[in-house]
Amino acid sequence: MSRETLSLDHDMREYYLHTALREPAILAELREFTAQHKQAKMQLSPEQGALLIFLLRLIKAQNYLEVGTFTGYSSIAAAIAMGPSGRVIACDLVEEFTKIAQEWWKKAGVEQQITLKLQAAVFSLETLVAEGHSGTFDCMLIDADKPFYPTYYDFALQLVRPGGLIILDNMFLGGRVAKPLARHPASVQILHDFNRQLRDDPRVEHAMLPAGDGMTLLFKR
């Protein structure tokens, strides 16, 4: 037993990556490819990908929605977890990123499972609600522009079914949320306040994990 989460030094990190993960080969390849990208820090860590796959299989998910796709790691992980009958809706605004994601969807053989919504995510989410998709998604991952997290969360509560999952990434913002300062971007104060709001929200079960840059798991009641 331990009272605190163990910090991983280089050796322990290497041991973890080679011993604890069942990372599909295509995801490992994509992770290595994306490591060369100037925005590589935007990708989920492999342990977060493993957790996503585990959770989607645990709840027998078949409909998955994400806000923030980047080069496609999370969307491929979700498609693999759900199997050929699973469906992914990927929302992103940056064509440069999603062109890469589309190439890797094809390499992974999951492109037929994934629908890309290339526009501001708020418009995509509004459309899904208007089209009658409220309460139909098993899981929604939010990993995009931080000032809009509260807005995306409101949509998630509409679109995710009772008993479904809402997952939010980058909830630590590199540790800055612990002590917001005037020189920090407004997003830091927004997430500082939002973290407490999520903890106290009676509509969901809540667990914030020190995985990656902070990952919050919510079970919709």
Side-chain angles (χ1 to χ4, degrees), residues 190-218:
I190 290 171
L191 279 200
H192 172 85
D193 297 339
F194 187 47
N195 279 327
R196 186 164 296 180
Q197 175 191 334
L198 292 175
R199 182 199 65 187
D200 297 336
D201 192 335
R203 296 171 293 182
V204 294
E205 296 289 345
H206 170 275
M208 177 187 279
L209 304 180
D213 186 32
M215 195 173 196
T216 294
L217 309 179
L218 304 169

Side-chain angles (χ1 to χ4, degrees), residues 170-181 183-185 187-189 191-192 195 208 210-214:
N170 299 117
M171 303 306 284
F172 289 172
L173 288 181
R176 289 175 293 171
V177 292
K179 191 176 181 181
L181 302 173
R183 67 174 182 272
H184 286 162
S187 58
V188 177
Q189 185 66 51
L191 279 200
H192 172 85
N195 279 327
M208 177 187 279
D213 186 32

Side-chain angles (χ1 to χ4, degrees), residues 18-34:
H18 291 94
T19 307
L21 297 179
R22 295 180 178 177
E23 186 178 31
I26 189 67
L27 290 180
E29 292 174 22
L30 175 55
R31 182 163 54 83
E32 292 177 7
F33 173 85
T34 306

Side-chain angles (χ1 to χ4, degrees), residues 36 38-39 47 52 60 64-65 68 80 82 95 99 110 128 137 143 155 162 167 176 185 195-197 200 213-214 221:
Q36 309 306 315
K38 61 184 178 181
Q39 298 291 341
E47 56 267 34
L52 177 62
K60 297 180 172 60
Y64 165 88
L65 170 63
I80 290 173
M82 296 188 296
E95 188 173 7
K99 281 185 176 179
V110 298
L128 288 170
F137 289 95
D143 186 13
F155 278 110
I167 304 174
R176 289 175 293 171
N195 279 327
R196 186 164 296 180
Q197 175 191 334
D200 297 336
D213 186 32
R221 292 176 173 171

Side-chain angles (χ1 to χ4, degrees), residues 49-122:
L51 180 60
L52 177 62
I53 290 173
F54 181 88
L55 290 172
L56 291 177
R57 287 178 173 163
L58 185 67
I59 65 171
K60 297 180 172 60
Q62 287 292 282
N63 289 289
Y64 165 88
L65 170 63
E66 67 179 22
V67 178
T69 294
F70 192 37
T71 60
Y73 191 95
S74 53
S75 49
I76 293 173
I80 290 173
M82 296 188 296
S85 59
R87 293 293 174 263
V88 172
I89 293 182
C91 303
D92 206 296
L93 183 62
V94 184
E95 188 173 7
E96 174 196 345
F97 299 159
T98 56
K99 281 185 176 179
I100 298 172
Q102 288 173 302
E103 292 173 3
W104 283 89
W105 294 342
K106 291 179 181 178
K107 290 181 181 180
V110 298
E111 72 272 18
Q112 297 302 318
Q113 295 175 241
I114 303 174
T115 300
L116 173 64
K117 304 286 189 181
L118 188 61
Q119 60 179 350
V122 169

